[in-house]
Amino acid sequence: MNTYRLLKILTSLFILLGGFLALYYLIIDPLPYKNIQAGSFLDTIAIPFDWAQVGPISFPIKVDNYLIFQEFKTLAPKAYVNESYIYAGIVWLGVISILTLLTEFRKTYFILGGIIWIVLLTLSNFNGLNIGGQSANYPLIILLSATLTPMVCFHLWGQSAHLILKWLVIAAATFASLVLLIFLSPLPKPSIYLAEHSLMPGFGLALAWVFWNGHSILSGTYILLARANRHLNLNITLQISLITLIYLGALFSIFLALQGELPFPVFSPLYLLIPIGVLGYISMNEKVSQSDQPASSPAVIKALHLLGFGLVLWLVWKLKLSGNQPAEELLKHLLTYSQLGFSLFFFIYLMANFMSVMNSGQAIDKILYKPYSLVYYHIRIGGLIVILVLTTYTGGIVGVQANAMTSNILAEYYYKTDQKLEASILYENSWKHYRKNPKAKFVTAQLLLDLKQPTLAKEHLEESFTEAPQVDNILLLADRLHQENKVFESIYYLEKGLQIFPSDNYLANNLSLLYTKINKSAEALELLNEDEISNPVLASNLVALKTKLGQPEEEKNSSTDLISQLNELATVNALANIPSSELILSIRNKLKTENSPMLLNAGWRNLFSEINRANPTEDLEFLDSLGQLPEMTPYVMSLQETAVIRSLGAGRVTGAVKNLNGLAFRNPNDAAYYLQLSGSILAKNMDFQKAALEFIAAEEKGFQGFGSHHWSIFGLAGMPEKSIEIKEKYSIPLPEFIKEEDTAIAQFLSLISRFHQQSPKNLLSQWRSFPENALKTDIAIRLIAYKAHGLSGAELKELEKFISNKIGIQEQLSSYVNNPDLTNKESVASLVSWLRASSDLTANPYLSPLIISDLATNSDPLDQYEILNSATEFNQDPILWVKKIKAARESGLDKYADEAQEILRKWVSEEELETLQNLNY
């Protein structure tokens, strides 16, 4: 009892798991071997990282963020080697079980079963293992001996042996022979050959089960109707007639669809396997109970039915995984033919024998198979005749399908053992025989590309496009043409492909990217219309494409995949908005586990493209360690640029400008970008002369993006001729403030052009005489930010009061002005907070008050000299230079002091220099 229960559980699991996998691959993933992946590539978008406002002159400081576009690529089909072994194991376990059950059959049926098994093994081409010579018969002899010998012995002399003992002996002999075949075969990886060719006996056994259950749906349905209508005297004749008409009509529609003669799709006949199995069991149960001389005991026949049911479901799984479309079509055709033939003649049998008693309300289901012998066999004979008629009508297509199926089986072995030439020849031959064979054509082209025969591969793909178009071949052909810079030809095939497959996301996505390449932006966006797509790749590309085309739109619903989130972050940055903390946190967490160098590079760039005054040391060390990884080598320069952006975000102007110049030197191709960025940073800090020189150097490297603010910067740098040159050369419009008649603007520009070179007192005097307007407020703010170290407490309070009256109370500024002691930490902290500067006081060399404050923490003259020397590489503040000269002399560096003094005389008069040296700041 326990053994019987265990067998029932195992059989149920076998059928249920096979049914689940079959339905999964029929409904959800019908082409699992296809390997279409989204390949990513980077593009850049200039985002406004910071904003410079110098009176009437304003301009963004832009840095590059990354957009990640995804293009669908067709890769080599998935091999599913382990799954092949699993299916082979299932087939051979099924074979062993069936052979074991055959030993329980009566003599005639036992012999018939043995003959069928011999035919199956002969057709399975195991002789291709080449044991003892090319296609020698030794493998067939070994398998026949191992499987038939114990079976015959048990049938003749071991009928009393327990079924499990029989199963174990036959299993031992069978698996021993399989191991022996693998051991003796000279083929590469003979186990794969054996696994792939196990499809043949599996297919044969499943086909036998299909033919056995040719009328199961109608007979099972009739039995259920008869049971339901017992004692009710209902018109079963009408019910079964209507059901038969509907079912035969559906089968005929399927038949026409298989022939391609229906203008609308119908469901796959493979879905019928489950009702055939269930209703067939009901029919089989009645049949064995009503038969006087069954082939074997009812339990054996039922077990055989359940084994066949499971094997046919697992066969569907195998056919889907391997992409053996000819075998699947062969199964569909023969299933449809057999159901049509046997169901039609079963209905005739039913009406001819039981029409008179059908509506009597009696237990007519109990006599369904009573006229068993000759009359019942007319069903089988008639069904076979119908199958032959349908086969003739279809031009013997099943023979072509069988030929292509065997070619695919052998090609699959060569493909999985990396024998590319042999596999390509067999797949090509298979496709020539049978066109509905998508995997064969694609793999042929893919293997030819691997074999360095692109011309022949393209011929195959073009042939497929003409005769049997399929999406993966169109993608492969378009990609190949794109690689050969034949963009318009690539677009042609994608456009035609979309006409054939109008809702295909793969084709639409790749076509949109190519449209962008030829400046068909509107068409590209239309293909990726967000109202009509649900594919995350297309949605991500739509966000990136809109941003790239200057139409950024912030997403309302945040995505969950990293690429989409990075595009979303780039869009937020392009709009100069503040990204949500949830988005930032999610991206950071994903980057911690990300392995793609490209995404790591893009992710950290987009994350660090923000003004963040926190100490960047830890981030910079992380970027440095990331750049030292071997896989990050192609992105080293980009990571260094990211480090510059992070430094700039932290307010480290000195490091940013120096590193940008270093990047320009090491990477000449991008030197123009680095130099113009450096120039913009310097211009924001009012170092117009250095900024102008950077822009000139950038132009020499190919920079052409000059705007009206560049015209102003060259003018402020004392290079009016260069302003005129770029205006005429690049057709730059004059800034709007030129048209205004306000003399205060000219006065402001004159003052600001030499702001750093002038002493605080001189600037304060000019400010006091400046007309009352917004520009005066601008100067007041700059006086405190850049010249507070040279102003008294009263003067600072005067400026603070003016600023507060104009723009409101500034608490941090008031806190500093109340105690303007640059040696006091609290006062300095208030000033730093108001300026939104870096906590590293020497980070921005132009913020002279903070440089002076940092000197207070270093009493050693040599340390002070180094701090001042670093700052004065950029800043021409007279007080800083005087202190530098003093520190140099105190450190015994008189030569450097004299040189610095000579340089200082270029913008400071002797009288002013003497005054500065006598003052004690």
Side-chain angles (χ1 to χ4, degrees):
M1 186 65 180
N2 290 334
T3 303
Y4 178 69
R5 184 177 301 168
L6 177 63
L7 289 175
K8 283 184 68 176
I9 293 172
L10 290 175
T11 304
S12 299
L13 288 175
F14 177 61
I15 293 172
L16 288 174
L17 185 56
F20 170 77
L21 291 173
L23 287 175
Y24 176 84
Y25 287 107
L26 280 171
I27 300 171
I28 298 174
D29 190 11
L31 297 171
Y33 64 87
K34 273 192 178 181
N35 194 6
I36 301 178
Q37 301 292 333
S40 304
F41 63 92
L42 297 179
D43 203 348
T44 56
I45 179 74
I47 62 110
F49 176 77
D50 200 359
W51 191 264
Q53 183 79 47
V54 184
I57 304 168
S58 63
F59 56 91
I61 295 176
K62 294 186 175 182
V63 299
D64 283 343
N65 266 200
Y66 285 112
L67 296 169
I68 301 100
F69 288 95
Q70 298 174 82
E71 179 183 14
F72 288 111
K73 300 278 188 178
T74 48
L75 307 179
K78 300 170 186 176
Y80 293 115
V81 176
N82 292 333
E83 287 80 356
S84 293
Y85 287 133
I86 291 171
Y87 178 72
I90 289 170
V91 167
W92 286 105
L93 287 173
V95 165
I96 292 164
S97 301
I98 291 170
L99 294 180
T100 302
L101 293 174
L102 274 177
T103 62
E104 300 289 316
F105 273 48
R106 289 163 51 194
K107 182 178 179 180
T108 303
Y109 296 102
F110 173 80
I111 294 173
L112 184 61
I115 292 171
I116 293 173
W117 175 239
I118 292 171
V119 172
L120 271 180
L121 278 183
T122 304
L123 295 175
S124 297
N125 195 28
F126 290 118
N127 288 341
L129 287 165
N130 295 341
I131 297 172
Q134 191 76 21
S135 297
N137 290 325
Y138 292 110
L140 179 61
I141 294 170
I142 291 171
L143 283 172
L144 286 174
S145 301
T147 54
L148 291 178
T149 301
M151 188 174 74
V152 171
C153 292
F154 280 122
H155 184 73
L156 294 177
W157 303 293
Q159 284 293 337
S160 60
H162 198 284
L163 206 61
I164 292 180
L165 177 62
K166 294 180 182 181
W167 192 93
L168 290 174
V169 172
I170 295 174
T174 302
F175 283 118
S177 66
L178 294 175
V179 172
L180 181 63
L181 291 179
I182 293 171
F183 179 75
L184 294 176
S185 176
L187 292 181
K189 300 181 180 177
S191 59
I192 296 180
Y193 183 94
L194 200 59
E196 290 302 321
H197 282 77
S198 296
L199 176 62
M200 286 300 293
F203 191 92
L205 293 173
L207 194 59
W209 181 86
V210 166
F211 276 60
W212 187 20
N213 287 274
H215 58 74
S216 291
I217 287 184
L218 281 189
S219 59
T221 302
Y222 173 75
I223 290 168
L224 292 176
L225 281 174
R227 290 175 183 175
N229 290 325
R230 194 175 298 174
H231 306 302
L232 296 179
N233 296 324
L234 296 179
N235 194 342
I236 299 177
T237 305
L238 179 61
Q239 294 174 2
I240 195 64
S241 298
L242 287 174
I243 292 171
T244 301
L245 183 63
I246 293 170
Y247 183 58
L248 291 177
L251 287 172
F252 191 68
S253 298
I254 291 172
F255 172 74
L256 293 178
L258 290 173
Q259 289 294 103
E261 297 176 7
L262 274 187
F264 53 86
V266 296
F267 64 90
S268 169
L270 297 180
Y271 289 112
L272 296 174
L273 291 172
I274 292 177
I276 287 173
V278 174
L279 294 172
Y281 185 80
I282 296 171
S283 177
M284 194 69 59
N285 191 42
E286 287 295 335
K287 187 175 179 181
V288 295
S289 66
Q290 296 174 31
S291 299
D292 297 328
Q293 292 182 326
S296 184
S297 66
V300 168
I301 294 176
K302 291 176 185 178
L304 200 60
H305 172 82
L306 294 175
L307 270 174
F309 188 21
L311 284 174
V312 77
L313 294 175
W314 281 96
L315 173 66
V316 174
W317 171 70
K318 168 62 178 176
L319 294 180
K320 286 295 183 181
L321 283 185
S322 64
N324 196 332
Q325 194 66 34
E328 183 181 334
E329 294 301 313
L330 178 60
L331 180 61
K332 287 179 182 178
H333 275 258
L334 293 176
L335 173 61
T336 305
Y337 299 173
S338 62
Q339 287 294 304
L340 266 172
F342 293 127
S343 296
L344 175 62
F345 273 87
F346 176 81
F347 180 69
I348 295 172
Y349 162 81
L350 198 61
M351 291 300 166
N353 291 279
F354 304 104
M355 188 172 178
S356 59
V357 296
M358 206 175 280
N359 302 323
S360 64
Q362 302 298 315
I364 54 175
D365 53 299
K366 298 299 181 182
I367 60 169
L368 178 62
Y369 294 105
K370 283 301 180 180
Y372 179 77
S373 57
L374 184 61
V375 177
Y376 177 74
Y377 279 116
H378 288 166
I379 297 175
R380 298 296 180 182
I381 296 169
L384 288 173
I385 291 172
V386 171
I387 292 172
L388 290 174
V389 170
L390 294 176
T391 302
T392 304
Y393 176 80
T394 57
I397 191 66
V398 291
V400 177
Q401 291 166 341
N403 188 313
M405 174 183 77
T406 56
S407 295
N408 274 12
I409 291 172
L410 185 55
E412 194 75 4
Y413 159 70
Y414 284 122
Y415 179 72
K416 289 177 179 176
T417 54
D418 204 31
Q419 300 181 65
K420 296 180 179 180
L421 180 60
E422 293 85 349
S424 66
I425 293 170
L426 282 166
Y427 276 125
E428 180 182 358
N429 180 63
S430 174
W431 193 84
K432 283 183 178 178
H433 280 89
Y434 190 62
R435 291 292 191 267
K436 194 173 182 181
N437 199 354
K439 180 180 177 181
K441 197 61 171 178
F442 174 78
V443 177
T444 300
Q446 185 73 54
L447 291 174
L448 288 172
L449 289 174
D450 293 343
L451 293 167
K452 310 300 182 186
Q453 298 185 47
T455 303
L456 188 56
K458 284 192 294 182
E459 288 177 3
H460 278 282
L461 293 172
E462 289 165 357
E463 184 182 24
S464 166
F465 186 82
T466 303
E467 299 188 23
Q470 56 193 73
V471 171
D472 50 355
N473 281 354
I474 296 171
L475 288 174
L476 185 60
L477 177 58
D479 181 55
R480 186 66 202 180
L481 292 169
H482 188 200
Q483 291 178 32
E484 296 174 358
N485 292 321
K486 298 177 180 178
V487 177
F488 289 98
E489 289 186 41
S490 180
I491 289 174
Y492 167 80
Y493 282 107
L494 289 172
E495 287 177 337
K496 292 296 182 182
L498 265 181
Q499 292 176 12
I500 302 169
F501 308 102
S503 60
D504 188 80
N505 287 329
Y506 301 137
L507 298 175
N509 180 77
N510 287 12
L511 181 57
S512 71
L513 295 178
L514 290 182
Y515 274 159
T516 306
K517 194 168 186 177
I518 61 170
N519 297 321
K520 285 190 172 183
S521 305
E523 291 87 341
L525 288 174
E526 184 179 352
L527 282 172
L528 298 179
N529 189 314
E530 60 185 341
D531 295 329
E532 300 176 5
I533 61 172
S534 58
N535 187 294
V537 172
L538 272 69
S540 175
N541 277 357
L542 179 63
V543 172
L545 188 57
K546 284 183 175 180
T547 304
K548 181 66 179 177
L549 296 175
Q551 306 171 29
E553 292 181 8
E554 193 167 349
E555 288 293 297
K556 296 179 181 178
N557 300 317
S558 184
S559 305
T560 56
D561 64 288
L562 180 59
I563 291 178
S564 297
Q565 288 182 333
L566 290 178
N567 285 337
E568 185 180 339
L569 179 57
T571 300
V572 173
N573 290 341
L575 291 167
N577 292 339
I578 298 175
S580 67
S581 57
E582 292 83 3
L583 177 63
I584 296 297
L585 182 61
S586 178
I587 292 175
R588 281 183 176 273
N589 290 336
K590 286 183 173 68
L591 288 176
K592 290 176 183 177
T593 57
E594 181 58 50
N595 295 319
S596 167
M598 183 188 72
L599 294 184
L600 287 170
N601 170 57
W604 290 113
R605 167 64 63 81
N606 292 5
L607 278 177
F608 287 149
S609 297
E610 63 172 350
I611 302 298
N612 179 6
R613 296 306 193 210
N615 192 326
T617 303
E618 185 177 340
D619 291 335
L620 297 177
E621 289 175 352
F622 167 74
L623 290 172
D624 183 61
S625 64
L626 192 62
Q628 293 177 17
L629 297 176
E631 61 269 23
M632 297 300 296
T633 301
Y635 300 100
V636 168
M637 297 298 289
S638 180
L639 288 172
Q640 291 176 356
E641 183 182 336
T642 302
V644 170
I645 293 171
R646 178 66 186 94
S647 295
L648 187 59
R652 293 187 173 183
V653 174
T654 303
V657 172
K658 287 185 175 181
N659 287 325
L660 283 171
N661 278 270
L663 285 170
F665 177 77
R666 294 192 299 274
N667 191 7
N669 292 333
D670 294 325
Y673 165 73
Y674 297 131
L675 291 170
Q676 68 81 24
L677 178 56
S678 172
S680 297
I681 296 167
L682 293 168
K684 181 179 187 295
N685 287 279
M686 299 184 298
D687 196 342
F688 302 111
Q689 291 180 339
K690 285 189 177 68
L693 294 175
E694 295 285 83
F695 289 133
I696 291 171
E699 184 184 22
E700 292 172 354
K701 296 295 183 179
F703 177 69
Q704 298 180 358
F706 288 100
S708 58
H709 65 279
H710 293 101
W711 182 90
S712 302
I713 291 168
F714 281 120
L716 293 171
M719 301 180 184
E721 65 285 347
K722 188 64 180 179
S723 295
I724 296 170
E725 179 188 331
I726 64 167
K727 177 183 179 301
E728 294 176 352
K729 186 175 181 179
Y730 301 104
S731 302
I732 295 172
L734 292 175
E736 290 296 323
F737 67 81
I738 292 296
K739 303 174 184 178
E740 298 181 14
E741 297 180 358
D742 189 353
T743 57
I745 293 178
Q747 187 179 346
F748 173 85
L749 294 176
S750 175
L751 181 150
I752 215 75
S753 65
R754 297 184 66 254
F755 192 88
H756 290 299
Q757 296 174 337
Q758 299 185 65
S759 66
K761 300 293 186 182
N762 186 14
L763 287 170
L764 182 64
S765 175
Q766 294 180 63
W767 173 78
R768 285 171 174 159
S769 63
F770 201 87
E772 290 286 337
N773 57 23
L775 294 177
K776 186 169 186 176
T777 307
D778 185 296
I779 298 171
I781 293 170
R782 293 178 190 277
L783 275 169
I784 296 178
Y786 297 102
K787 299 296 182 178
H789 59 296
L791 299 174
S792 67
E795 292 166 337
L796 289 171
K797 285 185 178 180
E798 179 186 357
L799 292 167
E800 185 267 337
K801 183 179 179 181
F802 180 85
I803 294 170
S804 297
N805 289 336
K806 295 296 182 181
I807 62 175
I809 299 296
Q810 307 286 302
E811 292 183 5
Q812 297 295 335
L813 176 59
S814 299
S815 176
Y816 165 69
V817 169
N818 288 334
N819 182 25
D821 183 0
L822 292 175
T823 64
N824 183 280
K825 290 184 179 180
E826 288 75 13
S827 296
V828 173
S830 296
L831 179 60
V832 168
S833 178
W834 180 68
L835 293 174
R836 296 186 180 89
S838 170
S839 57
D840 179 2
L841 300 180
T842 60
N844 187 340
Y846 296 102
L847 296 176
S848 302
L850 301 185
I851 302 295
I852 297 297
S853 176
D854 192 62
L855 294 178
T857 62
N858 294 276
S859 57
D860 185 359
L862 185 58
D863 291 339
Q864 292 182 342
Y865 173 77
E866 290 177 353
I867 293 170
L868 290 163
N869 188 56
S870 176
T872 54
E873 287 184 41
F874 297 89
N875 197 343
Q876 293 183 334
D877 181 84
I879 296 176
L880 289 187
W881 279 82
V882 168
K883 284 186 172 291
K884 173 183 174 181
I885 294 167
K886 181 180 177 183
R889 295 197 187 283
E890 290 177 355
S891 302
L893 303 174
D894 293 337
K895 180 181 178 181
Y896 293 119
D898 292 340
E899 290 176 357
Q901 189 163 313
E902 287 301 314
I903 295 172
L904 181 58
R905 286 193 173 98
K906 293 180 181 179
W907 65 86
V908 175
S909 66
E910 287 293 337
E911 180 182 353
E912 188 177 3
L913 177 59
E914 184 176 349
T915 303
L916 289 170
Q917 289 175 333
N918 291 333
L919 291 173
N920 183 23
Y921 287 101

